[in-house]
Amino acid sequence: MSLVNLMSRMPAAVAQGMIWGIMALGVYITFRILRVSDLSVDGTFATGGAVSVMLLLNGCPAWAALLAAVAAGIIAGLITGLLHTRLGIPAILAGILTQFALYSINLRIMGMKSNQTASLKKYGMFFDNGTGFLISSRYVPQAILVGGIISLLVILALYWYFGTEQGSAIRATGSNPNMAAAQGINNSNMTVLGLAISNGMVGLAGALMTQFQGTADVNMGRGAIVIGLAAIVIGEVICDALFSKGCNFGVRLGFVVIGGILYYIVMTVILWLKLDPNDLKLFTAIIVTIFLAVPHLQQQSKSSFRQAAKKAGKEE
């Protein structure tokens, strides 16, 4: 368990953390903005990877494969949204139904194979010929650079969009649906749109992960919702700790990506310690529980302090 060995793994952990951070941005839209529990992301992440790898295998440029993955994710999100708003199925169950359906769809996309591999030796890097992979584990410094640029562009795009009239309507729907409806906002349409954007982001992350790993697997999205929530919670706790007066929407989005990076760094340390990989989900659950509990415990501590101060003031 050499420390040098751990440090050598950190750059790859940062690169993968950025990808999971982009996925977490998609989860943030539903979990924090719409306040909807969408479990379809586990399937959508794999859909993005499946679409991307098959297009790469058929000679499609990497950037076009990413756009197609985003489109596939948007379609999946639309299905979840329509199941929820038009058919009256609870959001959490609508997401589960979409996730189940996507498993079979992803298998069909990949030619009824559970995984497909696109060789970096065959397709090369985008920087070499303009058509190869945008991001790869074999070129980690470039992967970090590209991941950082894409993360920044996504954050800027989301910051701009949710400041527009339509984006504000989505935020209003999640914040106070009754008030939003009173202002003439169609909550159902905004919910469908938010779910579509969210899953489009998740599809993009799945495509990036496929290029980074060089392979897509039908189970690659399993547990994605938990990782996304972990990144969100970690990012928010750090953001609130650093900015006592609160941070604005754009900064909060940035910390979601940072949360994804920190989460994957922790997972890398756990693997470096040679703990049983089968316990990773257990450690993930523990990490999420801790960070979810911190804000609540802090609030309780502040309330207890205020009550004690008031009591002391009355006694005087």
Side-chain angles (χ1 to χ4, degrees), residues 200-233:
M201 301 289 306
V202 176
L204 171 63
L208 288 170
M209 185 59 72
T210 290
Q211 290 192 30
F212 183 81
Q213 297 177 156
T215 183
D217 189 276
V218 72
N219 293 312
M220 65 186 290
R222 183 173 293 176
I225 183 65
V226 178
I227 297 174
L229 292 175
I232 292 170
V233 173

Side-chain angles (χ1 to χ4, degrees), residues 246-260:
C247 46
N248 65 28
F249 182 64
V251 174
R252 197 166 288 273
L253 291 176
F255 272 95
V256 170
V257 177
I258 292 173

Side-chain angles (χ1 to χ4, degrees), residues 82-286:
L82 292 173
L83 288 173
H84 173 49
T85 61
R86 298 297 187 265
L87 300 182
I89 300 173
I92 191 168
L93 182 56
I96 292 173
L97 291 173
T98 303
Q99 179 193 141
F100 267 52
L102 285 175
Y103 184 87
S104 297
I105 293 172
N106 293 339
L107 279 175
R108 290 189 174 277
I109 291 173
M110 294 193 292
M112 299 308 293
K113 295 181 179 180
S114 60
N115 57 72
Q116 288 278 6
T117 300
S119 172
L120 181 63
K121 291 182 179 180
K122 180 177 180 180
Y123 298 99
M125 286 293 291
F126 180 84
F127 304 101
D128 297 330
N129 53 30
T131 59
F133 289 13
L134 286 171
I135 186 170
S136 172
S137 59
R138 294 192 182 184
Y139 301 93
V140 174
Q142 290 182 1
I144 294 175
L145 175 62
V146 173
I149 292 173
I150 294 176
S151 298
L152 180 61
L153 291 176
V154 168
I155 290 170
L156 291 175
L158 290 176
Y159 183 75
W160 167 82
Y161 176 73
F162 283 102
T164 64
E165 183 176 349
Q166 190 177 75
S168 298
I170 295 176
R171 296 173 73 174
T173 296
S175 178
N176 192 330
N178 293 329
M179 183 61 72
Q183 297 298 319
I185 297 172
N186 189 315
N187 289 334
S188 294
N189 289 347
M190 292 303 103
T191 299
V192 172
L193 184 58
L195 284 165
I197 296 171
S198 168
N199 282 276
M201 301 289 306
V202 176
L204 171 63
L208 288 170
M209 185 59 72
T210 290
Q211 290 192 30
F212 183 81
Q213 297 177 156
T215 183
D217 189 276
V218 72
N219 293 312
M220 65 186 290
R222 183 173 293 176
I225 183 65
V226 178
I227 297 174
L229 292 175
I232 292 170
V233 173
I234 292 170
E236 287 183 335
V237 169
I238 295 174
C239 181
D240 293 336
L242 293 177
F243 299 90
S244 57
K245 295 183 179 180
C247 46
N248 65 28
F249 182 64
V251 174
R252 197 166 288 273
L253 291 176
F255 272 95
V256 170
V257 177
I258 292 173
I261 295 172
L262 292 176
Y263 166 82
Y264 215 85
I265 286 175
V266 171
M267 290 297 104
T268 301
V269 172
I270 290 173
L271 291 173
W272 173 73
L273 291 172
K274 297 190 183 301
L275 300 176
D276 191 342
N278 294 319
D279 292 333
L280 280 178
K281 292 189 183 299
L282 172 62
F283 290 121
T284 298
I286 292 172

